[in-house]
Amino acid sequence: MTRKRVAILISGRGSNMRALIEAAKTKDYPAEIVLVISNVADAGGLDFARKHGIETKVIEHQKFPSREIFDNAMDVALKAANTEIVALAGFMRLLSPRFLESWQGKMINIHPSLLPAYKGLHTHKRAIEAGEKFHGCTVHFVTPELDDGPTILQAKVPVMPSDSEAALAARVLEQEHKIYPEALRLVATGKAKL
Ligand code: GRF
């Protein structure tokens, strides 16, 4: 089995990154994690990746004069690692059209809502305030629109009347850690295609 070379882009905690790294260690998983890039120097996820012997790169967006030049630096790093698939995992930067185009069909993202509902930020709070009975998470191909693009997998959870934002976020996160490795498996084996 040839395993697809996957790079993960993070900005923070990196718990989804961690779920992907753990999955990639299991037998017969069709992808290997070859690189983790963070745009934040002290992102929590970096330590975990380093401890697991994965190459990490910090590319700080504020050190670049424009979004395009920052994205180009990431593109160079991704290509240097012979990346075949990019997985965004809590990566908090918008991407420029050129970068999006060049990774179209090869870049996936996880978003904490049942897309197309609740694109953008503060999804759990908004779902509670709207009185939703269900909420969840989505892994999707990345297309030029923010938090858009064809769904690969979704998981649904109930919203409890007593839920705080944190309680709901935790219930969703547990599902994120399940569906992201499964979605990456589908993309790596070609079963999910843009
Ligand atoms: C997750 O909720 C993910 O869906 C969203 O950002 C959060 C990142 O969490 N895109 P983590 O860094 O993976 O722990």
Side-chain angles (χ1 to χ4, degrees):
M1 179 186 61
T2 59
R3 304 200 297 157
K4 291 278 188 222
R5 297 176 64 82
V6 176
I8 306 175
L9 270 48
I10 64 169
S11 299
R13 175 177 64 177
S15 70
N16 279 291
M17 172 212 76
R18 191 174 171 140
L20 295 179
I21 290 173
E22 300 284 8
K25 282 200 262 167
T26 61
K27 198 172 166 279
D28 295 337
Y29 195 76
E32 60 178 319
I33 312 304
V34 296
L35 174 66
V36 170
I37 298 178
S38 173
N39 67 311
V40 177
D42 62 354
L46 285 169
D47 264 353
F48 183 88
R50 287 185 192 118
K51 281 189 190 131
H52 284 73
I54 294 166
E55 184 190 349
T56 60
K57 275 210 152 62
V58 173
I59 305 179
E60 290 174 287
H61 58 277
Q62 72 268 49
K63 296 199 171 150
F64 293 83
S66 72
R67 189 182 302 284
E68 287 70 25
I69 297 172
F70 165 66
D71 286 359
N72 188 58
M74 289 201 297
D75 198 60
V76 168
L78 291 168
K79 288 185 175 139
N82 295 318
T83 302
E84 295 170 283
I85 298 171
V86 176
L88 306 179
F91 182 70
M92 300 302 285
R93 301 294 302 168
L94 294 174
L95 296 162
S96 54
R98 188 162 169 199
F99 186 88
L100 287 161
E101 240 166 64
S102 85
W103 290 98
Q104 178 119 307
K106 294 176 261 173
M107 183 155 61
I108 61 179
N109 180 43
I110 185 150
H111 182 75
S113 79
L114 295 170
L115 289 173
Y118 305 110
K119 297 177 179 182
L121 298 174
H122 312 299
T123 58
H124 310 302
K125 183 165 183 274
R126 286 156 61 207
I128 291 171
E129 282 170 3
E132 299 287 357
K133 298 250 179 313
F134 294 98
H135 185 46
C137 48
T138 305
V139 181
H140 62 96
F141 282 107
V142 177
T143 55
E145 295 293 308
L146 178 69
D147 298 330
D148 205 37
T151 293
I152 301 162
L153 282 180
Q154 283 189 316
K156 202 173 183 180
V157 302
V159 181
M160 306 299 188
S162 61
D163 267 348
S164 62
E165 191 181 340
L168 181 56
R171 192 175 309 120
V172 171
L173 194 64
E174 201 184 320
Q175 296 305 315
E176 294 187 33
H177 298 161
K178 290 185 182 152
I179 67 167
Y180 211 177
E182 277 317 303
L184 178 58
R185 179 197 294 279
L186 293 174
V187 174
T189 54
K191 286 185 182 137
K193 275 195 187 126
L194 187 71

